[in-house]
Amino acid sequence: MSANLVETENFEQIRDRVRKLPFELERYRELLLANVIMLGEIPAPTFHEQERIHLLEQRFNECGLQNCSIDEKGNGAAIIPGTRGDTTILLTAHADTPFPASLDHTLTLEPDRIVGPGIADNSLGIAVLATLPTMLEGLGIRLSSDILLMGAVKSLNEGNQEGLRFFLSNAERPITAALAVEGVQLGRLNYRSRASLGGEIACVADNAHEEVSALDVLNQIIYRLRKIHLPQESETRLILGYIEGGVTYKTPARKARLKFQLSSDSDQTIIDITEKIDSVIHELSKEYRVSIDFNIIARTRYGGLDPQHFLVLQARRVLTTLGIHPGSNAYSSVISGFVENEIPAMCVGITTGENLNYPDERIDISPIMKGVAQLIGLLLSIDGGCCAGHQ
Amino acid sequence: MIEEKEKRGLTISLCIPTLNEEKTIGKEVVLFKSELVDRYPLLDEIAVIDSGSTDRTIEVAASFGASVYLSADILPHMGFKRGKGENLWKAIYQLQGDIIVYVDADIKNIHPRFVYGLVAPLIYRPEIKYVKAFYDRPLALSKEIRPSGGGRVTEILVRPLFSLFFPELTAIIQPLSGEYAVRREILERIPFPVGYGVETSHLIDVYDGWGIEAFAQTDLDKRVHRHQATRDLGKMSFGILRTFLKRLKSKGIIKDLPELTPFLRQFQAREDHYEQIIHEIVEEERPPMIEVPEYRAKRGLE
């Protein structure tokens, strides 16, 4: 029997199983929603996720999972043992949200949606991790591979995926493949990472000697950044995302700050442009006699799975079987940590939602079990050996 | 706690009284059902008793798995009176538990501790009859959110009254909190004002019948709910005061009391003049449930 035929037969079995899952999973709806609320109402700004991770860990313990632990970076992990346990699939979700602890984190549960800060990014994702062991046990699904569940800390923005990177570079067991879970959007199928650099430029003018406004300097920096050639063949882009400065309209600003992202399909292009930014800053700090600091706050590497990789093709089939239209954007920065560690990885979303990263972030309830079904379908597919390579 | 509950052969019912609580009821039902029925079987029953909501409260509560009862449908021949106390009273007839936990439906930061924190003293300590919640100030303060603990009506009205007439009851940190757990044997023997005075009258009646030793209090950390307008608190105070004075008279603490008007008069400013608003606040009372023949028949009481 040819390898392709075996794969086709495997897939037929998986597809039959996956098709029934959304209906079968409905009985876990309240359990999942309760976990979403309990985890989501614990504030977890980046670098302060401990309390949320402790509850996740408590959930893992309640499910009787193996090796429940919190590592030195604060990641919470546990293992659902497989029947053979000779391979390991990592299922991870980031625990942090972009909201400060001082914000009211109360969530509102309506019949068809949940509203509140961080619900989509990524309280739902972390709640899926907390609930999946109970779901798999109740459905009688046991993989031959171990499933390593991991709530990652220090992921967003300046966190620069510190928790995940630490975990992957210190993992004691080889990881066959990884799935990253995000609350939204259902249908996303990210398996590649672009090269990128998140940068912060901070300008401080000493107004005791000169009436120079830090905003004027920053304006010059922006002008010069926009003059830098961005190679189109590598789809290089510069996004100016955030700016702040000054305290009042009456006096020259003493401080100003810019945050930006540079992205490209080439790691070398990022390196080259970073050098150019360095030299712009050097020149302008001399010209204006002000202090300008350039800090790199996040980095990702170019790479990931090929669109023809079995895992990608199988993922598309799983989504299609469930009536989910796979999105066309293959890229997400989430994949970078896995690229660096040469682990085949994919990122999927669980449901639909809107107002992402605003306090009135919202998710739809009814598609959630379809999203969980896709996740189980992918686990079954990876367990069935679809990480082997290209078609 | 569940082992101890089972060892003592106790059953516990949760009652959530509602009137137009569609925003918060779903979360309460999901959390309590998932955590305290499915995961940890502490609750034997979750019931929403509704006073006739006109929003989606009933639909939402039912969709998340609560048993929903219309207050008017319980003991229908005794009629329906609008008020939270009416729902609490009818819950004694409708629900099965040896312990009934009452939790308000408007709590934004609901958590399983609101139930397990209240029932624990009743499970472990047979001499405790009535457990009342108290709270710290919420961290999140905004225009919409106020501390429930040491609220305005408590500090301005109830605490001074208790200090004057029932000094031992001043030990109750939050006498007006809507979260409490009580043994059925107590609930069925006390009357229920149907309106604002229900919590105050409970404390006086339980204290009168079973002493201060019957009470326990649980720190439930924080309670975040909607801020109430001062004018609404005026109505609440009026109802509580009427109930309180009635209790003083029935217990012979004060003898001569004129007939109390049910009308509260308040003012509101409109453009360049003031106008008076008259609210009729009738503080009716339901009798102890044990005096209701249907209840006696249902519970097999002689």
Side-chain angles (χ1 to χ4, degrees), chain A residues 29-35 37-38 41 58-59 62-63 102-104 106-112 130 134 365, chain B residues 22-24 26-27 30-31 33-35 38-40 56 59-60 63-65 108-112 140 145 224:
Chain A
R29 186 182 68 147
E30 276 78 29
L31 189 71
L32 177 58
L33 294 179
N35 277 334
I37 292 162
M38 291 188 65
E41 291 195 341
Q58 185 185 320
R59 287 295 187 238
E62 286 166 341
C63 294
S102 56
L103 185 75
D104 181 2
T106 302
L107 301 173
T108 303
L109 175 64
E110 298 172 11
D112 46 6
T134 309
I365 293 174
Chain B
E22 66 176 5
K23 289 280 181 202
T24 46
K27 195 163 91 172
V30 161
L31 270 187
K33 182 171 178 295
S34 175
E35 295 298 309
D38 299 336
R39 188 183 295 275
Y40 298 107
R56 296 204 296 166
E59 175 199 339
V60 175
S63 76
F64 288 117
K108 287 180 75 188
N109 63 327
I110 196 69
H111 187 276
I145 300 164
V224 184

Side-chain angles (χ1 to χ4, degrees), chain A residues 204-213 252-254 288-291:
Chain A
V204 180
D206 182 359
N207 288 341
H209 304 292
E210 305 260 358
E211 284 291 300
V212 176
S213 170
R254 194 167 156 259
Y288 284 94
R289 291 193 291 177
V290 293
S291 157

Side-chain angles (χ1 to χ4, degrees), chain B residues 274-291:
Chain B
Y274 286 90
E275 58 187 24
Q276 195 176 59
I277 305 166
I278 301 173
H279 304 280
E280 185 177 12
I281 300 169
V282 181
E283 273 296 322
E284 291 182 274
E285 272 194 24
R286 289 297 198 176
M289 187 58 85
I290 203 158
E291 295 172 9

Side-chain angles (χ1 to χ4, degrees), chain B residues 175-228:
Chain B
L176 297 183
S177 78
E179 286 66 56
Y180 37 96
V182 195
R183 293 191 197 280
R184 176 177 290 275
E185 68 206 55
I186 305 299
L187 285 173
E188 65 189 11
R189 286 176 168 80
I190 55 177
F192 274 64
V194 299
Y196 296 110
V198 64
E199 279 89 12
T200 311
S201 80
H202 274 187
L203 296 181
I204 296 171
D205 292 340
V206 174
Y207 173 67
D208 197 38
W210 292 269
I212 196 75
E213 303 77 21
F215 290 99
Q217 300 182 80
T218 301
D219 182 355
L220 292 183
D221 193 16
K222 294 174 190 68
R223 185 193 197 279
V224 184
H225 64 166
R226 289 272 165 213
H227 178 52
Q228 290 202 63

